[in-house]
Amino acid sequence: GFNLSFVASTVAYTVTAASYAGSNKFHIMGAAQPTLELIEGNTYVFTYPSGHPFALSTTSDGTHGGGSEYTTGVTRNSGANTLTYVVPTGAPTLYYYCTSHSGMGGQANTPAQFNNNLQLTTTNQGQDNISNAQYAAFDDVLFSASGFSFSLSNGSLIATI
């Protein structure tokens, strides 16, 4: 059958600062102040410009909005201008901001992890009255109602959306 599980990953973001509507804003993935989705269990590494230290807070605009810097799961390397965040279970909604300038940041949601890994387990170790060579060369396609198709090609599972 199919086994679903969560496999944590590390995601790297390059954060830049650029003028937008007359003031500096953080740009991530080419967008000004995007809302980020930081999934519980994943690690996020933010590389930021030296003149605009990147930080997280539970308060919009962080220390500029009357809040404090959020540090649970956070490691800062000021020499490399990186902030690494390992999202813990039950993390609150966060806001990213510049510690030096107000109004540059945005929101970072922290949704629970979800199954992102698919593993195929065969019955009887794939033997089912066929040889290993026959099993390895087996081709088949299964279509699902939700727009996925799963296929076996030369013994490898291929999932297509």
Side-chain angles (χ1 to χ4, degrees), residues 71-145:
T71 58
T72 303
V74 175
T75 304
R76 179 182 300 283
N77 182 335
S78 297
N81 294 330
T82 61
L83 181 132
T84 302
Y85 178 43
V86 180
V87 185
T89 300
T93 297
L94 296 172
Y95 300 88
Y96 59 92
Y97 69 102
C98 174
T99 61
S100 298
H101 308 96
S102 66
M104 290 185 63
Q107 185 168 321
N109 298 323
T110 56
Q113 58 187 236
F114 55 88
N115 292 331
N116 65 354
N117 183 54
L118 174 67
Q119 179 182 16
L120 174 65
T121 303
T122 60
T123 58
N124 208 16
Q125 289 75 43
Q127 297 304 310
D128 294 329
N129 299 322
I130 62 173
S131 70
N132 283 338
Q134 288 171 313
Y135 177 75
F138 183 70
D139 288 334
D140 193 10
V141 176
L142 166 75
F143 294 97
S144 69

